[in-house]
Amino acid sequence: MSNPLLDFSTLPRFDAIRPEHVTPAIRQLIDENRALIAELVADPAPPTWANFVTPMTEEGERLGRAWGIVGHLHSVMDVPEWREAYNAMLPEVSSFYAEVGQNLELFDKYRQLFGSAEYDMLTPARQRIIDHELRDFRLSGAELPDADKPRFKQIQEEMSALAAKFSENLLDATNAHAEWIEDASMLAGLPDDAIAAARAAAERDGKPGWKFTLQMPAYLPVMQYADNRELRARMYRAYATRASEQGRPELDNGPLIGKILALRAEEAKMLGYRDFAEVSLVAKMAESAGEVLGFLRELATKAKPFAERDLAELKEFARSELKLDPLEPWDVGYASEKLRQARYAFSDQEVKQYFPEPKVLEGLFGVIRTLYGVDIVADEAPKWDPSAHFFRIDKGGVTVGHFYLDLHARETKRGGAWMDSARSRYVGPRGTQTPVAYLVCNFPGPVGGKPATFTHDDVLTLFHECGHGLHHLLTRVDDLAVSGIHGVEWDAVELPSQFMENFCWEWDVLSGMTSHVDTGAQLPRALFDKMIAAKNFQSGMQTVRQLEFSMFDLRLHSEVDASGGPVPIERVMALLDEVRSEVAVMIPPAWHRFPHSFSHIFAGGYAAGYYSYKWAEVLSADAFEAFEEAGAGKGSLLDRETGERFWREILAVGGSRPALDSFKAFRGREPRVDALLRHNGMVSA
């Protein structure tokens, strides 16, 4: 056990794991998996759950956990040593999984089990696991002619490498740009904490003045508050052209996009599908690209009039009050914030002072305790960064799971926010393994001896990721492949996360998680009322923006012909222009390079699936309506009985049954779009 990556007896040993441990540990685990597979396929005995699925699960889980730790460290500590260690083994790991997916003898073992008398006696969850395995073998090329398998395997390896490179280019391009300010007059309008953070960043580099990077905690305040239009324009352009041909050539993601699309198209054709969108939808709730496009277009028809009204109001305000005519894209965030302040008499910055990190966490945990009757307790474990936290979830004195919380932005951490599994719930021959999750965000850290403070948007993001975490941690399923988030259809996996966001708009929840960073005062009710009045401010514009991303993604993977090799970036941009002409109201400049930073679909799991956010938003808004109904007239929507039912029917069952069945078990009916439109203020009077 000298290699800490091979120690599965406890939590990950982040204090001991080093980049040099990666190659020997992962190679050993791959070798052990290969040896087990050889032994299982050679066994003449008929496959059963006990003699076949259980050993496959347990050996595979060890490799999955170890490689998961490596991937996590690559995301939160992307220094050259970790990047090198991750990329050195990525081809071998991709190759191994592609090889397993194409193993006809393994596939045949699952088919034998599917056709056996034992299958009929298995629990529905275990039957679903076998059904998923057969589906995934087919999608992994198991039924391809032997002559085609090497090429299919090569495609999987190339796609993994390109996705990793896309992500690294984006991080490097984000870190490569900084605006150095030495003239204090250029800081006019910026909040004090943003100025202090920029000064601290310059000091760390041993330079005078202020340093503004393209990391969100630095970039957003400039776009929202900086009076200097030239500074906003420079920052906007740098952000909008990241990882494109307009920057360093070696960081241009354009050629990678073309190659990724071509490889996905080739994979789809080899599997007998018309395009990659068809492949993507096999494991989702939606039946076809046509169904999804119909859903998106129906929403767009309802949202676009509201978006057009939002933009007309913004342009008129910018022209008459701010003398910004025409309104440029780099003015939108600034003018929107000024309009919000003028209309509702508050700013994001004012609200932010009431959300210090410790109080927000206390409030979040209070919601979870009330809804589900669990305790969340600070705990000790080795961590990768001193600012990360570690917590335990207990129910009736019994540990249910653990989670890490890494909230602050760092230059070595990839952008965005996410939840990932460190370990999944499993009951096997050696007893019960409790789940462990990573919850990662990119919020501003503490400045000047004060705790970090969060915007209300940050609080929404935290609740969102925590919803994913609860889906993983509160599972009651004993079988690894469908416990927690595993086996849940991708277009339903956002239901628990988006559901949690709704509580951030409830007074009894929000008031309890506020304490002014200087005075300790609670958020005033009058300010909360203004926030509620402003809740759907520009919701039309925000909705069509999400629909633009979703339609672009789906059409890119269902309409663009990638059969002739890498797709020219000009074709990708032309499609985006088509989509924008249909749904967008604010068209970015021609030099904007949005696809080059769209890591959800080029470096994440959302290819031909970005629509999942909107699809699941219908489910989450409808699910939250059950709490609105239960709490009507009670002064609080934190209804324990409804919370227990949501846990039992949605969170607890994970992927052990179809998501639609879980939703109907909770709501007693099919989902409806009405609650989403109402929550977004898009219901015509």
Side-chain angles (χ1 to χ4, degrees), residues 621-674:
D622 197 336
F624 187 72
E625 196 172 55
F627 288 81
E628 293 175 317
E629 291 161 2
K634 296 180 183 174
S636 174
L637 304 191
L638 296 175
D639 183 72
R640 171 67 65 83
E641 189 180 328
T642 312
E644 287 285 352
R645 200 170 82 252
F646 186 78
W647 184 355
R648 184 173 68 249
E649 302 295 0
I650 304 283
L651 302 177
V653 297
S656 65
R657 69 181 176 197
L660 184 60
D661 291 357
S662 295
F663 181 88
K664 288 194 288 191
F666 175 64
R667 281 302 262 151
R669 57 165 174 76
E670 299 264 348
R672 299 174 190 151
V673 76
D674 313 35

Side-chain angles (χ1 to χ4, degrees), residues 76 185 200 213 241 282 286 299 381 442 465 486 505 533:
V76 296
S185 68
T213 69
T241 57
V282 171
L299 264 183
N442 269 282
E465 298 309 332
H486 299 299
W505 295 104

Side-chain angles (χ1 to χ4, degrees), residues 155-285:
I155 288 171
Q156 308 311 306
E157 293 167 24
E158 286 182 29
M159 288 199 299
S160 294
L162 288 169
K165 184 65 176 159
F166 186 99
S167 200
E168 289 167 2
N169 283 354
L170 183 56
L171 179 64
D172 291 348
T174 301
N175 288 337
H177 183 88
E179 289 290 335
W180 293 92
I181 306 294
E182 295 199 17
D183 177 359
S185 68
M186 288 185 71
L187 305 175
L190 283 167
D192 291 344
D193 58 354
I195 293 172
R199 178 73 203 106
E203 280 175 351
R204 282 194 295 274
D205 287 355
K207 294 191 177 182
W210 299 266
K211 178 187 180 184
F212 292 93
T213 69
L214 298 181
Q215 298 279 355
M216 271 296 130
Y219 175 75
L220 272 183
V222 171
M223 300 315 296
Q224 218 172 346
Y225 297 105
D227 293 333
N228 190 295
R229 196 181 195 189
E230 184 192 342
L231 175 61
R232 295 199 309 270
R234 287 205 308 266
M235 290 281 278
Y236 177 89
R237 182 159 195 146
Y239 191 82
T241 57
R242 288 175 304 157
S244 77
E245 81 284 0
Q246 296 171 51
R248 283 163 45 187
E250 71 274 17
L251 300 181
D252 181 9
N253 274 339
L256 273 57
I257 289 171
K259 290 175 189 170
I260 289 168
L261 292 173
L263 290 168
R264 286 174 179 166
E266 187 181 352
E267 174 192 44
K269 289 282 190 294
M270 291 181 80
L271 291 171
Y273 292 95
R274 192 174 65 84
D275 51 54
F276 184 77
E278 285 192 354
V279 177
S280 172
L281 290 171
V282 171
K284 295 183 170 69
M285 288 176 75

Side-chain angles (χ1 to χ4, degrees), residues 47 49 110-128 130-131:
W49 189 271
Y110 278 103
R111 281 192 294 202
Q112 286 178 50
L113 187 48
F114 177 75
S116 71
E118 186 188 3
Y119 178 87
D120 296 326
M121 294 184 285
L122 293 173
T123 63
R126 289 185 171 182
Q127 289 182 351
R128 191 163 162 83
I130 292 169
D131 296 347

